[in-house]
Amino acid sequence: MTATVPHGWQAHKTLITLAFPMILANITTPLLGLVDTAVLGHMDSSAMLAGASIATLILTQIYWVCGFLRMSATGLSAQGRGNPHDPKTQSAKALWQTCAIALVLGIGLLLLQVPVLHAGIWLASPGYEVLQHLEAYFEVRVWGAPAAMLNLALVGWLVGQQKTRAVLFIQIVGNLLNAALDVLLVYGFDMSVAGVALASIAAEYTMTALSLWVALAHCKGVSPRAEWFNSAARKVLLKLNGNMLIRNLALQVCLAFLTLQGARLGETPAAINAILMQFFVLIALGLDGIAYAVEALVGEAAGAKSKRAVVAQTQRGLFWSSLFAIAYALLFYVSGDAIIALLTDLPHLREAASAYLWLMVLLPLLGHWCFLFDGVFVGITQSAAMRDTMIISAAVAYFPVWWLFSDAGNVALWYALLSFLLARGLTLGWVFIYRVRRDALVSV
């Protein structure tokens, strides 16, 4: 059976309708941490904020690496939706399989919380007072791990089912609840950092409950089956998620290298990099939104085994990704200094960061390709290509470019990052074209 390929403005409207709620959801996501920071920042001791921030960093780094759950859930869910024979059953299968993996990982983190905490303390080496608050926060917040992992899988599944408005609504409810409980537990019940952690847990489990409610209503009448979890199914899931885990770890190594190497160069380079990374965060808000929509639409086409539809959705995604990239480049060219001024009021930092603005203009133009093709390969669940191109880009572009220009100092790190992003886009694009020509695009 061949999937119907949408045409004209209606097809573009569908993509943007899916992307826009995810862009808004991406904007709301940092608010949970922002509210926590604001509440703790008004407490009597700065050690409370420092301890909670370090504990949060430990957990969020683990959750970020486990982001493969969201990607695999989106691809499998979208392909289930596009299945021409039994989309409801195949969608339910993706839901139960990815949630099972998420639950195992969440419980595993609970069981390993002591060594994880000790490893984080060893890396951070906090002072005594900060350590007390770090432990107090972590020992409460870690109990939200099952919900945090489930949320990764459930958000991915909902995106694959093209329910991005539901994702946005759930994110807003979670953030509002977190903010209200922060105030109530910290100021009303005097629970200090433990209250902030408990508020975050309540928000996480609430979002899990709402997401499950939407998902189970969609899959009503389809019960989980034993064969969805047999050895053959587990092998497929392990391969898919394992490849994406390696891909995430390789990316994290490159980003961590930029931060750590910048810190080694001194206080000013480290501060410059912190400012410039906000430009990266800004482009991710829009380009990730487009990529989410592409994941859902390409995955649906892949589920229907339609190469023509996959190519059409990819081309459509490239159009909007390019448009966003040009808009970002123009924004940074015209308002780059104003953005830096919003981020720091220190004259020497403003002047130093302004020297990098031409690289920030190039950032979306060179980087949007990898965001887009990541979305395509998530949709077709060809995770080995994502793993291999990430490793190749790091080994052939990122580290060699940094080494070649290392005498230039901090700017070499940004040459390396831009080369890395471009290499990822080019290599994924080459694999995509190769598989189109070999008719091996929707064979999974």
Side-chain angles (χ1 to χ4, degrees), residues 241-255:
N241 288 287
N243 287 337
M244 288 187 176
L245 170 60
I246 295 170
R247 176 255 183 207
N248 283 2
L249 288 172
L251 175 58
Q252 187 65 12
V253 166
C254 292
L255 295 177

Side-chain angles (χ1 to χ4, degrees), residues 89 93 97 223-234 237:
T89 299
K93 177 182 177 182
Q97 285 181 330
S223 301
R225 303 173 186 176
E227 62 265 25
W228 294 351
F229 306 97
N230 61 24
S231 59
R234 292 197 302 271
L237 290 169

Side-chain angles (χ1 to χ4, degrees), residues 30-47:
L31 293 180
L32 191 146
L34 183 63
V35 172
D36 291 350
T37 300
V39 170
L40 289 168
H42 286 82
M43 301 298 286
D44 294 335
S45 172
S46 62

Side-chain angles (χ1 to χ4, degrees), residues 58-254:
I58 295 169
L59 290 171
T60 52
Q61 287 300 302
I62 294 172
Y63 297 158
W64 190 92
V65 170
C66 291
F68 63 83
L69 280 171
R70 189 212 60 79
M71 293 187 286
S72 62
T74 300
L76 293 172
S77 172
Q79 290 184 17
R81 174 185 167 89
N83 185 280
H85 305 298
D86 193 357
K88 191 172 184 179
T89 299
Q90 293 304 311
S91 296
K93 177 182 177 182
L95 173 66
W96 287 105
Q97 285 181 330
T98 52
C99 282
I101 296 170
L103 200 54
V104 168
L105 289 173
I107 293 172
L109 182 52
L110 285 182
L111 295 175
L112 295 171
Q113 61 179 280
V114 173
V116 167
L117 175 59
H118 287 171
I121 291 171
W122 178 77
L123 288 170
S125 300
Y128 177 77
E129 188 178 358
V130 172
L131 176 61
Q132 304 309 302
H133 295 298
L134 188 163
E135 291 178 334
Y137 185 92
F138 182 92
E139 288 169 359
V140 176
R141 182 70 187 274
V142 73
W143 290 95
M149 295 297 182
L150 280 169
N151 284 333
L152 289 172
L154 288 165
V155 167
W157 188 88
L158 291 171
V159 170
Q161 294 296 307
Q162 302 183 16
K163 295 184 177 294
T164 55
R165 290 182 182 178
V167 173
L168 174 60
F169 172 77
I170 291 165
Q171 292 272 21
I172 291 173
V173 170
N175 284 319
L176 290 175
L177 178 63
N178 179 74
L181 288 177
D182 267 342
V183 175
L184 177 64
L185 296 176
V186 173
Y187 296 113
F189 291 91
D190 197 25
M191 293 182 66
S192 187
V193 293
V196 175
L198 192 58
S200 297
I201 290 177
E204 287 169 338
Y205 277 101
T206 298
M207 289 190 285
T208 300
L210 289 172
S211 299
L212 276 173
W213 178 66
V214 174
L216 293 176
H218 187 75
C219 296
K220 188 176 181 180
V222 182
S223 301
R225 303 173 186 176
E227 62 265 25
W228 294 351
F229 306 97
N230 61 24
S231 59
R234 292 197 302 271
K235 184 177 180 180
V236 171
L237 290 169
L238 181 62
K239 182 179 179 181
L240 173 63
N241 288 287
N243 287 337
M244 288 187 176
L245 170 60
I246 295 170
R247 176 255 183 207
N248 283 2
L249 288 172
L251 175 58
Q252 187 65 12
V253 166
C254 292

Side-chain angles (χ1 to χ4, degrees), residues 365-415:
L365 299 175
L366 300 181
H368 81 97
W369 305 93
C370 70
F371 283 88
L372 186 281
F373 279 111
D374 267 346
V376 172
F377 278 82
V378 166
I380 59 179
T381 58
Q382 295 194 9
S383 57
M386 297 178 69
R387 175 202 64 200
D388 295 344
T389 54
M390 183 70 75
I391 293 171
I392 289 170
S393 298
V396 175
Y398 186 90
F399 289 105
V401 168
W402 169 77
W403 179 81
L404 185 64
F405 292 97
S406 57
D407 289 343
N410 190 60
V411 72
L413 292 167
W414 290 93
Y415 293 159

